[in-house]
Amino acid sequence: MQTLVDTLAEIVSSSIKLNAPVEQIQQNTDGTGWQVSLTTGETLNSELLCIALPAIQTSALIESISNPLAAKLNTIPYASSASVNLAFHRTDITHPLDGMGFVVPATENLSVIGCSFSSIKFENRAPEKQVLLRAFVGEPTSKRSETDLIQLCQTDLAPLLGIKETPQFVTVRKHTQAMAQYQVGHQEVVNDIERLTSKLQGLALAGNGYRGIGIPDCIRSGEAAAISLLEAL
C-alpha cells in the first residue's frame, strides 16, 4: 500500500502540498471556478475541483455550497477497524499456512474478522524461519485499547493456527471511520449524490464511499472523476 502511494506521490511531487489541510471550499460567484482555502493561510484557485475524501469530510466542506448534497453525503456511514500485526518463529505455529489467510463469519463470535498470512502472501515481509500475521478487527471491538486488541487476537488465533508461544513483537494500527458501509438503498443515495454534484460546474467526487471500497474501485473512481472534469472543459 505504501509503495503505491509513494510512487504516485513521486510522479506528481511538484503538485502536492503536504501538511496543508483544506479549511474551506468556495465556488466563484459566477459559478465557473473554485477557491480552496488551506489552514496555512494560502488560497488555491482552479477551474476544476475533485474532492477525494471520505463522504463525511466531503459533506463538511461542501455544506456551505450545497446543503442537499452535503446531507446526502452525510447519510453514508463509515466504520472503524484495526489491524494487529504479529510476528512469530515459524516453529511456534503448527498450521501449515498453506494459503493467503482466512476470513471469519460473524456466527463464530470471534473478535477477529479475518487474518492475512502476510509473509506468505508477500515477499520480504519476514526473515527466513519467521512468520508475520495480520489480524483484522472490526467495530465495536476495534475501539478497545491496544493491549486488549493484542490479547483478543492472540486468544482467537492460537487455537485456529496452532500457535504455541507469544509473538516476538506486535504492532497495532487503528483506522477511524475508514470503511464506508453500503447499506440497503446505497445505489439510490449515490445516484442522488452524482445528480446533485453535476449541478456544480467543475466539481467531481471520488473515493471509497460511492461505488466500491477496494483499491481497484478507488482507482476507477478517481479516473472517472478526472475524465468527467476534462469533458466539462
Side-chain angles (χ1 to χ4, degrees), residues 99-162:
M100 299 293 186
F102 60 87
V103 295
V104 181
T107 53
E108 294 293 333
N109 294 316
L110 297 181
S111 296
V112 299
I113 58 176
C115 179
S116 177
F117 304 158
S118 299
S119 55
I120 303 297
K121 194 173 182 179
F122 303 107
E123 295 182 354
N124 304 317
R125 291 300 186 272
E128 189 177 356
K129 298 181 180 179
Q130 295 183 342
V131 173
L132 182 64
L133 306 177
R134 176 178 294 170
F136 299 93
V137 181
E139 285 191 338
T141 308
S142 62
K143 296 180 179 179
R144 297 179 64 167
S145 70
E146 291 192 7
T147 301
D148 284 349
L149 290 176
I150 293 170
Q151 183 58 54
L152 289 168
C153 288
Q154 288 184 236
T155 300
D156 284 353
L157 295 178
L160 293 173
L161 299 178

Side-chain angles (χ1 to χ4, degrees), residues 44-219:
L44 307 178
N45 294 280
S46 177
E47 282 185 85
L48 309 175
L49 175 64
C50 176
I51 304 177
L53 294 170
I56 298 172
Q57 282 81 1
T58 301
S59 173
L61 289 174
I62 212 74
E63 187 175 14
S64 62
I65 299 168
S66 172
N67 276 322
L69 176 55
K72 280 293 179 182
L73 287 164
N74 212 34
T75 63
I76 300 176
Y78 278 73
S80 301
S81 65
S83 58
V84 181
N85 297 277
L86 308 99
F88 295 93
H89 290 293
R90 183 63 185 90
T91 53
D92 292 336
I93 300 177
T94 59
H95 191 281
L97 302 179
D98 50 351
M100 299 293 186
F102 60 87
V103 295
V104 181
T107 53
E108 294 293 333
N109 294 316
L110 297 181
S111 296
V112 299
I113 58 176
C115 179
S116 177
F117 304 158
S118 299
S119 55
I120 303 297
K121 194 173 182 179
F122 303 107
E123 295 182 354
N124 304 317
R125 291 300 186 272
E128 189 177 356
K129 298 181 180 179
Q130 295 183 342
V131 173
L132 182 64
L133 306 177
R134 176 178 294 170
F136 299 93
V137 181
E139 285 191 338
T141 308
S142 62
K143 296 180 179 179
R144 297 179 64 167
S145 70
E146 291 192 7
T147 301
D148 284 349
L149 290 176
I150 293 170
Q151 183 58 54
L152 289 168
C153 288
Q154 288 184 236
T155 300
D156 284 353
L157 295 178
L160 293 173
L161 299 178
I163 298 174
K164 301 179 292 183
E165 300 291 341
T166 57
Q168 293 176 273
F169 71 85
V170 183
T171 62
V172 178
R173 294 290 183 270
K174 291 189 175 185
H175 312 281
T176 304
Q177 291 187 315
M179 299 172 64
Q181 304 297 292
Y182 293 1
Q183 299 180 328
V184 175
H186 178 78
Q187 185 65 65
E188 288 72 22
V189 171
V190 173
N191 290 340
D192 288 341
I193 288 172
E194 292 177 345
R195 175 179 55 81
L196 292 166
T197 302
S198 67
K199 295 180 179 181
L200 300 171
Q201 184 177 339
L203 176 67
L205 305 181
N208 70 359
Y210 311 114
R211 299 186 181 278
I213 64 173
I215 297 302
D217 300 309
C218 291
I219 292 173

